[in-house]
Amino acid sequence: MVLDLKQTTIAYFCPKCTHSVQSMVGVFSLSGDMIRLRCSCGEAGEVVLTVSYTSDRKVRLSVPCLFCPTPHNFVISSEVFFGQELFVLSCPYTGLDIAFTGESNHVRAACDIAVSSIVALMDEVGLSNLPSVHKDDADSFEDDGQISEIIRFMLAELREDGKIQCNCDENGAFAVDFKIGSSGVQVFCRGCDAQTLLPLYGVSDATAFISTDELKLV
């Protein structure tokens, strides 16, 4: 009798040191309450990836994110978790790949590709390093204008694509400006006074704003 020992490689990026963290997970090791995959950098604290079974034997993952302040939760079938050459989990706000499961060589290659995409995005929005995304909100607002630069970049992109709506005529969107306050970021039109309040309180929130397709001021 041949015993099929199912196992897979899982990897994610540590938000503190930005290095990839990889480990093998077997179907029997997952039979316990929970598996915690922690970075060896010594700075992660409570930042860990967790894997556990749901009551119907699906696999639940809590994945730390490079850009968001809290982990993202995913539930996938055990067949997908253990049976795919490569399965990718992405941040729902930025669309960037943050975790991978599958055969080890496919996982390593996917990590390398993801790093290239993340670095390209950082260059585009003017972030100097990934750990700066997870600074405290008070520090982030004062940190060399990173939030302002991200918002200014996105407003310019939306304006160029005609994706900002206000009460002005067609040219009204060119008068759009913003200001940062304790309640978030207020985007407003200087022409008609239409505005909206964006719940952006730190660099991670501002980076998530990159996925915005349209902005309506009322």
Side-chain angles (χ1 to χ4, degrees):
M1 173 177 155
V2 177
L3 185 61
D4 182 18
L5 297 176
K6 291 184 179 180
Q7 61 181 10
T8 190
T9 297
I10 186 167
Y12 76 103
F13 297 106
C14 173
K16 299 299 183 181
C17 72
T18 74
H19 292 163
S20 63
V21 184
Q22 301 183 27
S23 179
M24 295 294 297
V25 177
V27 66
F28 291 119
S29 62
L30 191 53
S31 298
D33 292 336
M34 182 180 292
I35 290 176
R36 293 176 174 84
L37 183 56
R38 189 184 305 272
C39 182
S40 61
C41 69
E43 299 293 334
E46 296 301 317
V47 180
V48 295
L49 181 147
T50 63
V51 189
S52 60
Y53 274 132
T54 65
S55 58
D56 56 354
R57 305 300 288 177
K58 292 182 179 179
V59 178
R60 183 190 308 277
L61 300 100
S62 177
V63 182
C65 182
L66 286 170
F67 292 100
C68 300
T70 56
H72 300 302
N73 296 312
F74 304 91
V75 176
I76 60 178
S77 69
S78 57
E79 289 79 11
V80 168
F81 185 75
F82 288 108
Q84 297 288 319
E85 287 186 349
L86 178 67
F87 186 76
V88 179
L89 300 170
S90 303
C91 168
Y93 301 108
T94 65
L96 295 172
D97 300 336
I98 58 173
F100 314 88
T101 69
E103 295 182 357
S104 58
N105 56 330
H106 292 289
V107 169
R108 284 195 298 269
C111 284
D112 292 340
I113 294 173
V115 168
S116 298
S117 299
I118 291 168
V119 170
L121 176 61
M122 288 170 54
D123 290 340
E124 190 174 11
V125 300
L127 290 176
S128 58
N129 57 79
L130 284 172
S132 68
V133 174
H134 287 270
K135 290 183 179 180
D136 293 338
D137 289 342
D139 293 336
S140 298
F141 277 105
E142 301 173 358
D143 188 20
D144 60 33
Q146 288 185 12
I147 292 178
S148 296
E149 287 302 315
I150 294 172
I151 296 170
R152 188 174 293 110
F153 168 80
M154 278 306 301
L155 289 179
E157 290 287 305
L158 292 170
R159 183 176 60 194
E160 183 176 347
D161 294 338
K163 298 297 185 180
I164 299 179
Q165 299 180 21
C166 66
N167 298 325
C168 291
D169 56 21
E170 184 178 355
N171 294 325
F174 288 91
V176 168
D177 203 347
F178 70 94
K179 60 181 179 181
I180 297 175
S182 59
S183 299
V185 175
Q186 184 182 32
V187 180
F188 58 92
C189 174
R190 295 186 181 275
C192 64
D193 294 328
Q195 58 185 283
T196 188
L197 183 65
L198 303 176
L200 310 180
Y201 306 104
V203 176
S204 57
D205 293 329
T207 306
F209 181 50
I210 293 172
S211 62
T212 300
D213 296 324
E214 189 173 12
L215 194 62
K216 186 174 182 179
L217 311 181
V218 295

